[in-house]
Amino acid sequence: MVKFPSDFLWGGALAANQVEGAYAEDGKGLSVADVMTAGAHGVPRQITEGVQSDMYYPNHTAIDFYHQYPSDCELFAELGLKALRISIAWSRIFPNADDPEPNEAGLRYYDQLFDTLIARGMEPIVTLSHFEMPYALYQKYGGFRNREAINLFVRYAETVMTRYRGKVRYWMTFNEINNQFGGDDLLAWADSAIQFEADEDREEVIYQTSLYELIASARVVTLGHAIDPANQIGCMIAYSAVYPASSEPLDVLAAAQFMDRSYFYSDIHVRGKIPAATESIWQEKNYNFDLTKEDLTILATGTVDFIGFSYYMSKTVAAVKSEQDPNQLKGIKVVSNPHLVANDWGWEIDAVGLRVILKTLTDRYQLPLFIVENGLGAYDQLTEENEIHDSYRVDYLKQHIIEMSKAINEDGASVIGYTPWGIIDIVSFWTGEMEKRYGLIYVNRDNQGQGDLSRIKKASFTWYQKVIETNGREL
Ligand code: BG6
Protein backbone atom coordinates (compact mmCIF):
# COMPACT_ATOMS: atom_id res chain seq x y z
CA MET A 1 0.00 0.00 0.00
CA VAL A 2 1.22 3.50 -0.86
CA LYS A 3 1.84 5.40 2.39
CA PHE A 4 3.54 8.65 3.37
CA PRO A 5 4.39 10.34 6.68
CA SER A 6 1.75 12.85 7.83
CA ASP A 7 4.16 15.81 7.58
CA PHE A 8 5.40 14.85 4.10
CA LEU A 9 6.20 17.94 2.01
CA TRP A 10 4.32 17.56 -1.26
CA GLY A 11 5.47 20.42 -3.40
CA GLY A 12 6.75 21.75 -6.67
CA ALA A 13 10.11 23.09 -7.83
CA LEU A 14 11.32 26.08 -9.87
CA ALA A 15 14.48 28.14 -10.33
CA ALA A 16 14.59 31.94 -10.49
CA ASN A 17 16.33 32.22 -13.87
CA GLN A 18 13.91 29.79 -15.53
CA VAL A 19 10.75 31.57 -14.38
CA GLU A 20 11.23 35.15 -13.24
CA GLY A 21 12.20 37.07 -16.39
CA ALA A 22 12.54 40.81 -15.54
CA TYR A 23 16.24 40.19 -16.11
CA ALA A 24 17.24 43.84 -15.86
CA GLU A 25 14.57 45.21 -13.52
CA ASP A 26 14.83 46.74 -10.05
CA GLY A 27 18.60 46.83 -10.08
CA LYS A 28 19.22 43.20 -11.01
CA GLY A 29 22.61 42.51 -12.56
CA LEU A 30 23.15 40.10 -15.44
CA SER A 31 23.49 36.46 -14.48
CA VAL A 32 25.21 33.64 -16.33
CA ALA A 33 21.74 32.49 -17.50
CA ASP A 34 21.12 35.87 -19.13
CA VAL A 35 23.84 35.32 -21.72
CA MET A 36 22.62 31.86 -22.76
CA THR A 37 20.81 31.88 -26.10
CA ALA A 38 17.96 29.58 -27.13
CA GLY A 39 18.97 26.16 -28.43
CA ALA A 40 16.86 23.15 -29.36
CA HIS A 41 17.06 19.38 -29.02
CA GLY A 42 20.47 18.61 -30.56
CA VAL A 43 21.33 22.33 -30.98
CA PRO A 44 23.40 23.58 -28.05
CA ARG A 45 22.76 26.92 -26.39
CA GLN A 46 25.48 29.53 -26.98
CA ILE A 47 27.12 31.49 -24.20
CA THR A 48 27.64 34.99 -25.57
CA GLU A 49 30.00 37.76 -24.47
CA GLY A 50 27.45 39.93 -22.67
CA VAL A 51 23.97 40.41 -24.18
CA GLN A 52 24.03 40.72 -27.99
CA SER A 53 21.23 42.69 -29.64
CA ASP A 54 20.67 40.18 -32.47
CA MET A 55 20.30 37.09 -30.26
CA TYR A 56 17.26 35.61 -28.49
CA TYR A 57 17.64 34.90 -24.78
CA PRO A 58 14.61 32.99 -23.45
CA ASN A 59 15.44 33.60 -19.78
CA HIS A 60 15.09 37.38 -20.17
CA THR A 61 11.31 37.10 -20.02
CA ALA A 62 10.92 33.43 -19.05
CA ILE A 63 7.33 33.08 -17.79
CA ASP A 64 7.27 36.53 -16.15
CA PHE A 65 6.93 35.03 -12.67
CA TYR A 66 8.59 38.18 -11.31
CA HIS A 67 5.36 40.06 -11.99
CA GLN A 68 2.85 37.22 -12.02
CA TYR A 69 3.90 35.42 -8.83
CA PRO A 70 0.82 36.50 -6.82
CA SER A 71 -1.61 34.80 -9.23
CA ASP A 72 0.78 31.85 -9.76
CA CYS A 73 0.92 31.36 -6.00
CA GLU A 74 -2.89 31.32 -5.96
CA LEU A 75 -2.74 28.43 -8.41
CA PHE A 76 -0.10 26.62 -6.32
CA ALA A 77 -2.32 27.04 -3.26
CA GLU A 78 -5.31 25.69 -5.19
CA LEU A 79 -3.16 22.71 -6.14
CA GLY A 80 -2.59 22.19 -2.43
CA LEU A 81 1.22 22.48 -2.44
CA LYS A 82 2.74 22.29 1.01
CA ALA A 83 6.13 23.49 -0.24
CA LEU A 84 7.59 25.42 -3.13
CA ARG A 85 11.23 25.07 -4.06
CA ILE A 86 12.53 28.28 -5.59
CA SER A 87 15.97 29.84 -5.90
CA ILE A 88 17.12 33.36 -5.14
CA ALA A 89 18.74 35.07 -8.12
CA TRP A 90 22.11 36.02 -6.62
CA SER A 91 22.45 38.92 -9.09
CA ARG A 92 19.25 40.53 -7.77
CA ILE A 93 20.94 40.80 -4.38
CA PHE A 94 24.53 41.55 -5.46
CA PRO A 95 24.26 42.77 -9.08
CA ASN A 96 28.03 43.20 -9.44
CA ALA A 97 28.93 40.25 -7.20
CA ASP A 98 31.05 42.45 -4.89
CA ASP A 99 28.79 45.48 -4.26
CA PRO A 100 29.42 47.19 -0.91
CA GLU A 101 25.69 46.94 -0.05
CA PRO A 102 23.00 44.49 -1.18
CA ASN A 103 20.27 45.67 -3.53
CA GLU A 104 17.27 46.44 -1.32
CA ALA A 105 14.76 46.09 -4.18
CA GLY A 106 15.95 42.51 -4.77
CA LEU A 107 15.72 41.65 -1.08
CA ARG A 108 12.23 43.15 -0.90
CA TYR A 109 11.05 41.07 -3.83
CA TYR A 110 11.89 37.80 -2.08
CA ASP A 111 10.38 39.09 1.17
CA GLN A 112 7.11 39.51 -0.69
CA LEU A 113 7.38 36.15 -2.42
CA PHE A 114 8.11 34.27 0.82
CA ASP A 115 5.34 36.14 2.66
CA THR A 116 2.89 35.19 -0.09
CA LEU A 117 3.90 31.53 0.09
CA ILE A 118 3.75 31.38 3.87
CA ALA A 119 0.36 33.13 3.96
CA ARG A 120 -0.91 30.40 1.62
CA GLY A 121 0.48 27.58 3.73
CA MET A 122 3.51 26.76 1.58
CA GLU A 123 6.97 26.18 3.02
CA PRO A 124 9.65 27.95 0.94
CA ILE A 125 12.57 25.66 0.06
CA VAL A 126 15.40 27.84 -1.18
CA THR A 127 18.37 27.05 -3.39
CA LEU A 128 21.08 29.69 -3.02
CA SER A 129 22.73 29.09 -6.38
CA HIS A 130 20.78 27.51 -9.21
CA PHE A 131 22.73 28.10 -12.47
CA GLU A 132 22.41 31.90 -12.15
CA MET A 133 25.61 33.36 -10.67
CA PRO A 134 26.25 37.04 -11.32
CA TYR A 135 27.86 37.53 -14.74
CA ALA A 136 30.21 39.96 -12.98
CA LEU A 137 31.59 37.04 -10.97
CA TYR A 138 32.87 35.64 -14.27
CA GLN A 139 34.01 38.98 -15.69
CA LYS A 140 35.84 40.28 -12.65
CA TYR A 141 36.96 37.09 -10.96
CA GLY A 142 36.85 34.25 -13.48
CA GLY A 143 33.99 32.63 -11.55
CA PHE A 144 34.82 29.82 -9.14
CA ARG A 145 38.34 29.51 -10.55
CA ASN A 146 39.04 32.24 -8.05
CA ARG A 147 39.21 31.57 -4.30
CA GLU A 148 37.64 34.98 -3.72
CA ALA A 149 34.34 33.56 -5.06
CA ILE A 150 34.05 31.66 -1.76
CA ASN A 151 33.91 34.91 0.23
CA LEU A 152 31.45 36.47 -2.20
CA PHE A 153 29.12 33.48 -1.98
CA VAL A 154 29.32 33.36 1.81
CA ARG A 155 28.55 37.08 2.03
CA TYR A 156 25.54 36.67 -0.26
CA ALA A 157 24.32 33.65 1.74
CA GLU A 158 24.79 35.48 5.05
CA THR A 159 22.78 38.43 3.70
CA VAL A 160 19.79 36.37 2.63
CA MET A 161 19.85 33.91 5.52
CA THR A 162 19.83 36.83 7.95
CA ARG A 163 17.13 38.71 6.06
CA TYR A 164 14.80 35.70 5.73
CA ARG A 165 15.45 34.25 9.20
CA GLY A 166 12.20 32.76 10.47
CA LYS A 167 10.66 32.72 6.98
CA VAL A 168 12.89 30.15 5.30
CA ARG A 169 13.92 26.99 7.12
CA TYR A 170 15.05 24.75 4.26
CA TRP A 171 18.10 25.80 2.24
CA MET A 172 20.29 24.15 -0.37
CA THR A 173 23.64 25.55 -1.44
CA PHE A 174 24.63 24.68 -5.06
CA ASN A 175 22.16 23.12 -7.49
CA GLU A 176 23.40 19.88 -9.09
CA ILE A 177 26.95 20.70 -8.06
CA ASN A 178 28.15 17.37 -9.50
CA ASN A 179 26.87 17.95 -13.02
CA GLN A 180 29.91 19.95 -14.06
CA PHE A 181 32.16 16.94 -13.59
CA GLY A 182 31.98 15.78 -17.21
CA GLY A 183 33.70 18.98 -18.40
CA ASP A 184 30.64 20.08 -20.38
CA ASP A 185 30.86 23.78 -21.44
CA LEU A 186 27.29 24.67 -20.50
CA LEU A 187 27.43 22.98 -17.10
CA ALA A 188 30.79 24.45 -16.15
CA TRP A 189 29.29 27.81 -17.03
CA ALA A 190 26.04 27.22 -15.15
CA ASP A 191 27.57 25.54 -12.09
CA SER A 192 30.77 27.56 -11.66
CA ALA A 193 30.62 30.62 -13.96
CA ILE A 194 33.73 29.51 -15.79
CA GLN A 195 34.70 29.03 -19.40
CA PHE A 196 37.46 26.64 -20.33
CA GLU A 197 40.64 27.77 -21.98
CA ALA A 198 41.97 25.85 -24.95
CA ASP A 199 44.11 22.84 -24.04
CA GLU A 200 43.64 23.00 -20.28
CA ASP A 201 42.95 19.84 -18.31
CA ARG A 202 39.22 20.22 -17.75
CA GLU A 203 39.07 17.57 -15.07
CA GLU A 204 41.73 19.35 -13.03
CA VAL A 205 39.97 22.70 -13.41
CA ILE A 206 36.64 21.24 -12.35
CA TYR A 207 38.11 19.56 -9.27
CA GLN A 208 39.54 22.91 -8.16
CA THR A 209 36.37 24.94 -8.82
CA SER A 210 34.32 22.22 -7.13
CA LEU A 211 36.57 22.24 -4.08
CA TYR A 212 36.09 25.99 -3.76
CA GLU A 213 32.32 25.50 -4.02
CA LEU A 214 32.35 22.69 -1.48
CA ILE A 215 34.31 24.90 0.93
CA ALA A 216 31.86 27.76 0.29
CA SER A 217 28.96 25.38 0.91
CA ALA A 218 30.45 24.06 4.17
CA ARG A 219 31.04 27.60 5.44
CA VAL A 220 27.42 28.45 4.66
CA VAL A 221 26.14 25.37 6.49
CA THR A 222 28.04 26.37 9.63
CA LEU A 223 27.03 30.01 9.29
CA GLY A 224 23.39 29.13 8.55
CA HIS A 225 23.16 27.07 11.73
CA ALA A 226 24.61 29.98 13.72
CA ILE A 227 22.13 32.44 12.16
CA ASP A 228 19.20 30.20 13.05
CA PRO A 229 19.57 26.78 14.69
CA ALA A 230 16.21 25.84 13.14
CA ASN A 231 17.73 26.03 9.65
CA GLN A 232 17.92 22.75 7.76
CA ILE A 233 20.68 23.08 5.17
CA GLY A 234 21.22 20.55 2.44
CA CYS A 235 23.28 19.89 -0.64
CA MET A 236 21.80 19.32 -4.08
CA ILE A 237 23.10 16.53 -6.27
CA ALA A 238 21.93 15.20 -9.65
CA TYR A 239 21.59 11.46 -9.21
CA SER A 240 20.78 8.77 -11.70
CA ALA A 241 20.62 5.10 -10.83
CA VAL A 242 23.63 3.67 -12.67
CA TYR A 243 23.50 0.14 -14.12
CA PRO A 244 26.20 -2.00 -15.72
CA ALA A 245 25.40 -2.82 -19.37
CA SER A 246 26.05 -6.51 -18.62
CA SER A 247 27.16 -8.82 -15.84
CA GLU A 248 30.70 -8.71 -17.21
CA PRO A 249 32.88 -7.68 -14.24
CA LEU A 250 34.45 -4.71 -16.04
CA ASP A 251 31.00 -3.30 -16.81
CA VAL A 252 30.12 -3.65 -13.13
CA LEU A 253 33.34 -1.85 -12.19
CA ALA A 254 32.55 0.87 -14.74
CA ALA A 255 29.14 1.44 -13.12
CA ALA A 256 30.71 1.69 -9.66
CA GLN A 257 33.36 4.14 -10.86
CA PHE A 258 30.70 6.20 -12.63
CA MET A 259 28.93 6.65 -9.29
CA ASP A 260 32.21 7.77 -7.70
CA ARG A 261 31.94 10.97 -9.75
CA SER A 262 28.85 11.90 -7.73
CA TYR A 263 30.13 10.45 -4.46
CA PHE A 264 33.09 12.86 -4.64
CA TYR A 265 30.56 15.63 -4.01
CA SER A 266 28.10 13.94 -1.68
CA ASP A 267 30.80 12.32 0.48
CA ILE A 268 32.35 15.73 1.11
CA HIS A 269 28.97 17.38 1.73
CA VAL A 270 27.78 14.61 4.06
CA ARG A 271 30.92 13.16 5.65
CA GLY A 272 33.18 16.19 5.39
CA LYS A 273 36.02 14.14 3.93
CA ILE A 274 37.59 13.67 0.50
CA PRO A 275 36.82 10.09 -0.57
CA ALA A 276 39.82 7.76 -0.84
CA ALA A 277 38.99 6.91 -4.48
CA THR A 278 39.30 10.60 -5.40
CA GLU A 279 42.60 10.99 -3.56
CA SER A 280 44.02 8.06 -5.55
CA ILE A 281 43.01 9.72 -8.82
CA TRP A 282 44.64 12.98 -7.75
CA GLN A 283 47.86 11.13 -6.90
CA GLU A 284 47.89 9.14 -10.10
CA LYS A 285 47.33 12.24 -12.22
CA ASN A 286 49.69 14.37 -10.19
CA TYR A 287 47.04 16.95 -9.42
CA ASN A 288 47.88 19.53 -6.79
CA PHE A 289 45.10 21.69 -5.53
CA ASP A 290 44.81 24.85 -3.51
CA LEU A 291 43.37 23.13 -0.46
CA THR A 292 44.66 24.17 2.94
CA LYS A 293 44.49 22.51 6.36
CA GLU A 294 41.97 25.14 7.37
CA ASP A 295 39.83 24.23 4.34
CA LEU A 296 39.82 20.61 5.45
CA THR A 297 38.57 21.65 8.88
CA ILE A 298 35.84 23.77 7.27
CA LEU A 299 34.74 20.77 5.19
CA ALA A 300 34.75 18.49 8.22
CA THR A 301 32.66 20.93 10.26
CA GLY A 302 30.08 22.14 7.76
CA THR A 303 28.32 18.91 6.93
CA VAL A 304 24.76 19.02 5.62
CA ASP A 305 21.48 18.18 7.38
CA PHE A 306 19.86 16.49 4.41
CA ILE A 307 20.58 15.40 0.85
CA GLY A 308 18.49 17.17 -1.76
CA PHE A 309 18.63 15.59 -5.18
CA SER A 310 17.17 15.51 -8.65
CA TYR A 311 16.19 12.28 -10.33
CA TYR A 312 14.98 12.08 -13.92
CA MET A 313 16.40 8.89 -15.39
CA SER A 314 18.80 6.03 -14.93
CA LYS A 315 22.00 5.57 -16.88
CA THR A 316 23.52 2.38 -18.19
CA VAL A 317 27.25 2.24 -18.71
CA ALA A 318 29.74 -0.07 -20.38
CA ALA A 319 33.46 -0.49 -19.92
CA VAL A 320 35.88 0.72 -22.56
CA LYS A 321 38.72 -1.76 -22.24
CA SER A 322 42.37 -1.11 -22.71
CA GLU A 323 43.77 -2.61 -25.95
CA GLN A 324 46.88 -3.86 -24.15
CA ASP A 325 45.11 -5.42 -21.17
CA PRO A 326 41.51 -6.64 -21.50
CA ASN A 327 41.15 -6.61 -17.70
CA GLN A 328 41.96 -2.93 -17.54
CA LEU A 329 39.30 -0.22 -17.67
CA LYS A 330 40.33 2.58 -20.02
CA GLY A 331 37.10 4.56 -20.02
CA ILE A 332 33.36 4.46 -19.41
CA LYS A 333 30.65 4.99 -21.99
CA VAL A 334 26.94 5.57 -21.51
CA VAL A 335 24.80 3.18 -23.57
CA SER A 336 21.08 2.80 -24.06
CA ASN A 337 19.11 0.39 -21.92
CA PRO A 338 16.98 -2.06 -23.95
CA HIS A 339 14.51 -2.41 -21.04
CA LEU A 340 13.62 1.28 -20.92
CA VAL A 341 11.81 3.81 -23.07
CA ALA A 342 13.20 7.33 -23.48
CA ASN A 343 11.33 10.64 -23.69
CA ASP A 344 11.63 12.84 -26.80
CA TRP A 345 14.95 14.21 -25.54
CA GLY A 346 16.47 10.75 -25.02
CA TRP A 347 16.09 10.65 -21.20
CA GLU A 348 15.41 7.02 -20.25
CA ILE A 349 12.35 6.78 -18.01
CA ASP A 350 12.88 4.48 -15.05
CA ALA A 351 10.71 4.76 -11.93
CA VAL A 352 12.32 1.73 -10.27
CA GLY A 353 15.63 3.58 -10.62
CA LEU A 354 14.30 6.15 -8.14
CA ARG A 355 13.83 3.38 -5.58
CA VAL A 356 17.31 2.08 -6.38
CA ILE A 357 18.91 5.46 -5.73
CA LEU A 358 16.86 6.09 -2.58
CA LYS A 359 18.01 2.73 -1.23
CA THR A 360 21.62 3.35 -2.27
CA LEU A 361 21.71 6.74 -0.55
CA THR A 362 19.97 5.43 2.56
CA ASP A 363 22.49 2.61 2.89
CA ARG A 364 25.47 4.90 2.25
CA TYR A 365 24.58 7.99 4.28
CA GLN A 366 21.65 7.34 6.71
CA LEU A 367 20.54 10.97 6.27
CA PRO A 368 17.13 12.44 5.42
CA LEU A 369 16.59 12.67 1.67
CA PHE A 370 14.61 15.26 -0.24
CA ILE A 371 13.58 14.63 -3.86
CA VAL A 372 13.69 18.22 -5.06
CA GLU A 373 13.39 17.53 -8.81
CA ASN A 374 11.65 14.81 -10.76
CA GLY A 375 9.43 15.06 -13.80
CA LEU A 376 8.79 14.45 -17.45
CA GLY A 377 9.75 16.90 -20.19
CA ALA A 378 7.21 16.44 -22.99
CA TYR A 379 5.47 18.21 -25.88
CA ASP A 380 1.92 19.09 -24.82
CA GLN A 381 -0.99 19.54 -27.23
CA LEU A 382 -3.56 22.19 -26.55
CA THR A 383 -7.00 20.96 -27.64
CA GLU A 384 -9.60 23.17 -29.32
CA GLU A 385 -11.26 23.48 -25.92
CA ASN A 386 -7.98 24.81 -24.49
CA GLU A 387 -7.30 21.65 -22.48
CA ILE A 388 -4.17 19.53 -22.05
CA HIS A 389 -4.68 15.82 -21.54
CA ASP A 390 -1.23 14.89 -20.25
CA SER A 391 -1.86 11.33 -19.11
CA TYR A 392 1.81 10.52 -19.94
CA ARG A 393 2.91 13.01 -17.25
CA VAL A 394 0.46 11.60 -14.71
CA ASP A 395 1.75 8.14 -15.48
CA TYR A 396 5.39 9.20 -15.02
CA LEU A 397 4.75 10.94 -11.70
CA LYS A 398 2.47 8.17 -10.44
CA GLN A 399 5.04 5.44 -11.06
CA HIS A 400 7.78 7.46 -9.36
CA ILE A 401 5.57 8.17 -6.34
CA ILE A 402 4.77 4.44 -6.01
CA GLU A 403 8.47 3.57 -6.04
CA MET A 404 9.22 6.37 -3.55
CA SER A 405 6.60 4.91 -1.23
CA LYS A 406 8.19 1.44 -1.49
CA ALA A 407 11.60 2.94 -0.64
CA ILE A 408 10.10 4.61 2.44
CA ASN A 409 8.03 1.69 3.65
CA GLU A 410 10.13 -1.31 2.60
CA ASP A 411 13.73 -0.05 2.37
CA GLY A 412 13.82 2.32 5.34
CA ALA A 413 14.43 5.51 3.36
CA SER A 414 13.69 8.71 5.25
CA VAL A 415 12.23 11.13 2.71
CA ILE A 416 11.28 14.68 3.72
CA GLY A 417 9.32 15.56 0.61
CA TYR A 418 8.83 15.50 -3.11
CA THR A 419 8.86 18.61 -5.30
CA PRO A 420 8.29 17.71 -8.97
CA TRP A 421 10.27 19.84 -11.37
CA GLY A 422 8.75 22.68 -13.28
CA ILE A 423 5.41 22.57 -11.48
CA ILE A 424 4.46 25.25 -13.99
CA ASP A 425 5.97 25.30 -17.53
CA ILE A 426 9.34 27.03 -17.60
CA VAL A 427 12.37 27.60 -19.84
CA SER A 428 14.37 24.39 -20.22
CA PHE A 429 17.90 24.58 -18.90
CA TRP A 430 19.62 22.40 -21.50
CA THR A 431 17.91 23.61 -24.62
CA GLY A 432 16.32 26.93 -23.68
CA GLU A 433 13.05 25.63 -25.15
CA MET A 434 9.65 26.54 -23.70
CA GLU A 435 8.06 23.61 -25.47
CA LYS A 436 9.92 21.02 -23.42
CA ARG A 437 7.23 21.20 -20.81
CA TYR A 438 7.22 19.76 -17.28
CA GLY A 439 4.41 21.75 -15.73
CA LEU A 440 1.05 20.79 -14.33
CA ILE A 441 0.14 24.34 -15.34
CA TYR A 442 0.53 25.28 -19.01
CA VAL A 443 2.08 28.62 -19.95
CA ASN A 444 1.13 30.01 -23.32
CA ARG A 445 4.55 30.79 -24.77
CA ASP A 446 6.52 29.02 -27.48
CA ASN A 447 10.16 28.46 -28.36
CA GLN A 448 10.34 31.76 -30.24
CA GLY A 449 8.90 33.76 -27.34
CA GLN A 450 5.42 34.11 -28.89
CA GLY A 451 2.26 33.74 -26.76
CA ASP A 452 0.39 35.80 -24.19
CA LEU A 453 1.85 33.93 -21.17
CA SER A 454 -1.63 32.95 -19.95
CA ARG A 455 -1.84 29.96 -17.60
CA ILE A 456 -4.04 26.86 -18.10
CA LYS A 457 -4.42 23.98 -15.65
CA LYS A 458 -3.53 20.62 -17.24
CA ALA A 459 -5.21 17.30 -16.46
CA SER A 460 -2.19 16.48 -14.27
CA PHE A 461 -3.11 19.47 -12.05
CA THR A 462 -6.37 17.87 -10.92
CA TRP A 463 -4.64 14.54 -10.48
CA TYR A 464 -1.81 15.93 -8.27
CA GLN A 465 -4.34 17.94 -6.26
CA LYS A 466 -6.00 14.66 -5.27
CA VAL A 467 -2.65 13.02 -4.51
CA ILE A 468 -1.78 15.80 -2.07
CA GLU A 469 -5.26 15.91 -0.54
CA THR A 470 -5.13 12.19 0.21
CA ASN A 471 -1.43 12.22 1.23
CA GLY A 472 -0.61 9.89 -1.63
CA ARG A 473 -3.35 7.34 -0.97
CA GLU A 474 -5.22 8.13 -4.18
CA LEU A 475 -2.99 7.90 -7.18
C1 BG6 B 1 18.18 19.96 -13.83
C2 BG6 B 1 18.22 21.39 -13.43
O1 BG6 B 1 19.37 19.69 -14.48
O2 BG6 B 1 17.25 19.51 -14.74
C3 BG6 B 1 17.06 22.23 -13.92
O3 BG6 B 1 18.39 21.56 -12.05
C4 BG6 B 1 16.63 21.76 -15.29
O4 BG6 B 1 17.43 23.57 -13.88
C5 BG6 B 1 16.16 20.30 -15.15
O5 BG6 B 1 15.64 22.54 -15.87
C6 BG6 B 1 15.59 19.70 -16.41
O6 BG6 B 1 16.41 19.95 -17.50
P1 BG6 B 1 15.80 20.59 -18.81
O7 BG6 B 1 16.93 20.84 -19.71
O8 BG6 B 1 14.85 19.59 -19.33
O9 BG6 B 1 15.15 21.85 -18.39
Side-chain angles (χ1 to χ4, degrees):
M1 186 182 133
V2 180
K3 231 171 59 200
F4 290 93
S6 57
D7 56 354
F8 193 75
L9 289 175
W10 295 100
L14 303 170
N17 74 91
Q18 289 168 275
V19 295
E20 285 178 1
Y23 83 106
E25 269 182 56
D26 293 338
K28 176 179 169 296
L30 280 185
S31 81
V32 295
D34 293 324
V35 297
M36 283 162 46
T37 65
H41 183 33
V43 182
R45 301 180 78 171
Q46 307 293 313
I47 301 159
T48 59
E49 208 52 52
V51 172
Q52 312 280 324
S53 56
D54 56 343
M55 296 287 204
Y56 174 55
Y57 300 94
N59 301 64
H60 285 190
T61 303
I63 62 161
D64 193 37
F65 184 76
Y66 189 76
H67 299 111
Q68 305 202 25
Y69 77 87
S71 46
D72 285 339
C73 289
E74 294 276 344
L75 284 170
F76 300 153
E78 185 185 335
L79 187 51
L81 297 191
K82 297 186 187 308
L84 186 74
R85 174 182 176 224
I86 188 81
S87 62
I88 295 176
W90 181 351
S91 69
R92 281 199 195 282
I93 312 300
F94 287 103
N96 302 294
D98 55 4
D99 311 70
E101 295 299 327
N103 172 30
E104 178 56 29
L107 288 169
R108 209 175 312 121
Y109 169 69
Y110 292 105
D111 259 324
Q112 289 160 356
L113 174 59
F114 298 144
D115 288 346
T116 307
L117 290 174
I118 293 162
R120 307 221 159 278
M122 287 174 269
E123 180 92 45
I125 317 284
V126 176
T127 317
L128 288 163
S129 179
H130 191 131
F131 300 169
E132 56 211 357
M133 293 181 187
Y135 187 63
L137 186 70
Y138 158 71
Q139 281 186 307
K140 297 190 199 172
Y141 297 90
F144 263 90
R145 280 180 193 275
N146 191 330
R147 183 177 265 277
E148 188 51 26
I150 301 176
N151 292 329
L152 296 171
F153 179 74
V154 173
R155 181 157 172 261
Y156 152 65
E158 182 173 17
T159 305
V160 295
M161 286 175 143
T162 307
R163 174 81 172 217
Y164 306 124
R165 186 176 188 274
K167 291 187 185 178
V168 178
R169 264 192 321 141
Y170 288 95
W171 301 90
M172 280 171 284
T173 51
F174 293 94
N175 183 64
E176 293 191 338
I177 188 170
N178 58 319
N179 255 352
Q180 57 194 312
F181 193 88
D184 176 275
D185 285 324
L186 196 66
L187 282 169
W189 179 246
D191 262 336
S192 296
I194 62 163
Q195 286 193 316
F196 293 111
E197 285 158 20
D199 300 335
E200 66 183 340
D201 181 338
R202 289 181 171 217
E203 191 181 347
E204 189 173 15
V205 173
I206 288 301
Y207 270 126
Q208 182 67 72
T209 57
S210 302
L211 282 169
Y212 286 155
E213 283 176 9
L214 288 159
I215 295 162
S217 172
R219 278 182 57 188
V220 165
V221 172
T222 304
L223 184 77
H225 287 149
I227 291 172
D228 186 351
N231 275 335
Q232 291 292 303
I233 310 168
C235 54
M236 201 304 201
I237 311 274
Y239 281 119
S240 299
V242 178
Y243 307 136
S246 77
S247 52
E248 198 182 333
L250 271 196
D251 281 346
V252 177
L253 181 65
Q257 288 197 356
F258 196 86
M259 276 307 281
D260 282 346
R261 298 173 182 183
S262 296
Y263 291 151
F264 161 65
Y265 294 90
S266 43
D267 279 9
I268 296 180
H269 274 308
V270 175
R271 298 172 170 165
K273 276 204 302 222
I274 317 269
T278 306
E279 281 185 332
S280 315
I281 295 171
W282 291 355
Q283 260 180 11
E284 188 196 316
K285 298 199 171 176
N286 248 324
Y287 288 159
N288 278 307
F289 296 113
D290 172 26
L291 181 67
T292 65
K293 260 199 178 148
E294 197 199 343
D295 293 333
L296 293 174
T297 311
I298 290 169
L299 293 178
T301 319
T303 54
V304 294
D305 301 314
F306 67 91
I307 301 172
F309 71 98
S310 59
Y311 176 83
Y312 290 93
M313 60 191 138
S314 56
K315 289 200 175 129
T316 303
V317 301
V320 180
K321 297 175 193 167
S322 145
E323 292 85 21
Q324 290 81 29
D325 178 359
N327 286 326
Q328 186 64 35
L329 196 60
K330 195 176 89 181
I332 303 172
K333 63 174 182 210
V334 177
V335 298
S336 68
N337 187 324
H339 305 287
L340 301 174
V341 174
N343 76 357
D344 288 321
W345 286 262
W347 296 20
E348 287 181 339
I349 301 168
D350 178 12
V352 175
L354 176 60
R355 180 174 179 189
V356 172
I357 198 70
L358 283 166
K359 171 157 177 50
T360 307
L361 295 176
T362 299
D363 294 348
R364 190 174 180 95
Y365 297 121
Q366 297 91 45
L367 214 63
L369 304 170
F370 200 157
I371 303 165
V372 295
E373 282 187 35
N374 174 239
L376 178 71
Y379 294 108
D380 287 337
Q381 287 305 325
L382 205 56
T383 66
E384 278 176 14
E385 295 76 35
N386 261 1
E387 290 172 353
I388 295 107
H389 303 291
D390 55 344
S391 52
Y392 38 89
R393 184 167 293 109
V394 168
D395 194 49
Y396 178 101
L397 295 171
K398 186 194 282 188
Q399 295 312 322
H400 284 77
I401 291 172
I402 290 173
E403 295 304 322
M404 172 169 62
S405 161
K406 289 183 197 160
I408 295 173
N409 297 303
E410 296 174 38
D411 306 331
S414 153
V415 185
I416 302 171
Y418 177 70
T419 58
W421 180 245
I423 197 74
I424 179 168
D425 291 345
I426 61 176
V427 176
S428 147
F429 164 69
W430 282 98
T431 64
E433 291 167 292
M434 260 310 296
E435 291 168 54
K436 184 181 186 186
R437 299 177 185 276
Y438 287 88
L440 313 192
I441 300 164
Y442 183 87
V443 176
N444 182 20
R445 189 169 172 85
D446 67 15
N447 288 345
Q448 288 72 43
Q450 303 299 312
D452 64 4
L453 288 165
S454 56
R455 279 53 168 158
I456 299 168
K457 292 174 235 168
K458 303 183 191 177
S460 51
F461 183 100
T462 318
W463 169 81
Y464 193 45
Q465 202 175 34
K466 194 76 183 173
V467 174
I468 300 176
E469 202 184 292
T470 61
N471 199 23
R473 275 187 308 277
E474 266 186 53
L475 287 169

